[in-house]
């Protein structure tokens, strides 16, 4: 099960207990800049791309009560257990408006991950994961996720479009989910988790 990567990674952009605003004009750093809000911090980021490479790397993160507001973002991650977006811990929130494009390469990589009472609201997303055991979206332990519309594509054995665990709640509309690989489910919910989809399609390819 994925753990929080914050304890293992140095961060280019770190916000703690104060609001910060970033835009494409303000962040001119390298491709490997992650954005994270923790300990009650609030971060807004818009109109830029983030690329990361390495074990458990990520693009955007909110943890321990942090909040990230994103608008028109593109995230590319490469590495085992890498994340496009993760949000974890009570009162932690992720909100995305406009287009959110996420591509991940690597085993057990996750497009978006919410855990431990976290909440996420995403207006529109395009998620592609490539690698065995790599999920488009995963929820764990009482998390809530609302998705306005999206395409979710996974390629790899055991790579589910949406994976929901332990009394978490997922709601989505106008989703197009496609999985390719042995044992790859379009949607899977376990341990009293709930998934509510409307006007959505699911296509799976593989044994």
């Amino acid at each position: 099960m994925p753990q929080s990567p914050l304890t293992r990674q140095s961060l280019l952009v770190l916000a703690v207990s104060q609001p910060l605003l970033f835009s494409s004009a303000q962040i001119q750093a390298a491709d490997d800049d992650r954005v994270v809000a923790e300990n009650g911090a609030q971060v807004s980021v818009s109109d830029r791309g983030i690329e990361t490479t390495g074990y458990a790397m990520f693009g955007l993160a909110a943890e321990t009560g942090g909040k990230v507001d994103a608008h028109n973002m593109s995230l590319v991650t490469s590495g085992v257990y890498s994340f496009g977006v993760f949000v974890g811990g009570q009162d932690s929130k992720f909100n995305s408006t406009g287009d959110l494009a996420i591509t991940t390469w690597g085993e057990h990589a996750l497009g978006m991950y919410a855990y431990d009472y976290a909440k996420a609201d995403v207006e529109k997303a395009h998620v592609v994961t490539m690698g065995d055991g790599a999920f488009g979206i995963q929820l764990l332990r009482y998390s809530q996720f609302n998705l306005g519309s999206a395409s979710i594509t996974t390629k790899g054995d055991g790579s589910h479009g949406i994976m929901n665990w332990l009394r978490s709640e997922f709601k989505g509309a106008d989703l197009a989910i496609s999985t390719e690989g042995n044992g790859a489910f379009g949607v899977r919910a376990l341990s009293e988790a709930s998934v509510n989809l409307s006007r959505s399609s699911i296509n799976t390819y593989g044994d």
Side-chain angles (χ1 to χ4, degrees):
M1 193 65 61
Q3 301 290 326
S4 167
L6 287 182
T7 56
R8 295 189 298 271
Q9 305 298 338
S10 61
L11 304 175
L12 180 63
V13 178
L14 174 63
V16 179
S17 303
Q18 60 182 348
L20 294 177
L21 302 176
F22 298 105
S23 70
S24 57
Q26 293 169 304
I27 301 180
Q28 300 295 334
D31 293 335
D32 194 26
D33 53 343
R34 284 86 68 200
V35 174
V36 59
E38 60 180 345
N39 298 329
Q42 181 174 344
V43 173
S44 295
V45 61
S46 64
D47 300 300
R48 71 168 279 99
I50 296 175
E51 297 185 16
T52 67
T53 302
Y55 179 85
M57 284 291 188
F58 58 88
L60 301 175
E63 196 171 51
T64 59
K67 181 179 179 181
V68 172
D69 291 310
H71 179 72
N72 286 342
M73 295 294 294
S74 175
L75 312 174
V76 179
T77 71
S78 177
V80 176
Y81 287 112
S82 61
F83 307 81
V85 173
F86 81 87
V87 51
Q90 194 161 9
D91 298 323
S92 298
K93 297 179 181 180
F94 174 72
N95 181 67
S96 174
T97 58
D99 290 323
L100 176 62
I102 299 173
T103 302
T104 69
W105 284 277
E107 293 183 1
H108 308 294
L110 303 175
M112 291 185 276
Y113 177 39
Y115 63 95
D116 289 351
Y117 298 89
K119 295 181 180 180
D121 289 287
V122 177
E123 182 179 43
K124 184 178 181 181
H126 303 279
V127 180
V128 177
T129 70
M130 288 173 279
D132 292 344
F135 305 155
I137 298 173
Q138 177 168 303
L139 281 70
L140 177 67
R141 286 192 296 270
Y142 300 93
S143 297
Q144 297 179 7
F145 201 114
N146 297 310
L147 182 55
S149 65
S151 64
I152 301 172
T153 302
T154 69
K155 296 183 179 181
D157 292 345
S159 296
H160 311 320
I162 298 170
M163 181 69 206
N164 197 357
W165 291 78
L166 293 172
R167 300 186 180 182
S168 292
E169 299 178 2
F170 180 92
K171 294 181 180 180
D174 300 308
L175 308 187
I177 301 171
S178 177
T179 69
E180 183 177 339
N182 294 332
F185 294 78
V187 176
R188 193 174 189 188
L190 299 172
S191 301
E192 300 183 69
S194 67
V195 175
N196 187 336
L197 300 181
S198 61
R199 303 186 305 274
S200 298
S201 64
I202 298 173
N203 293 290
T204 63
Y205 305 91
D207 296 333

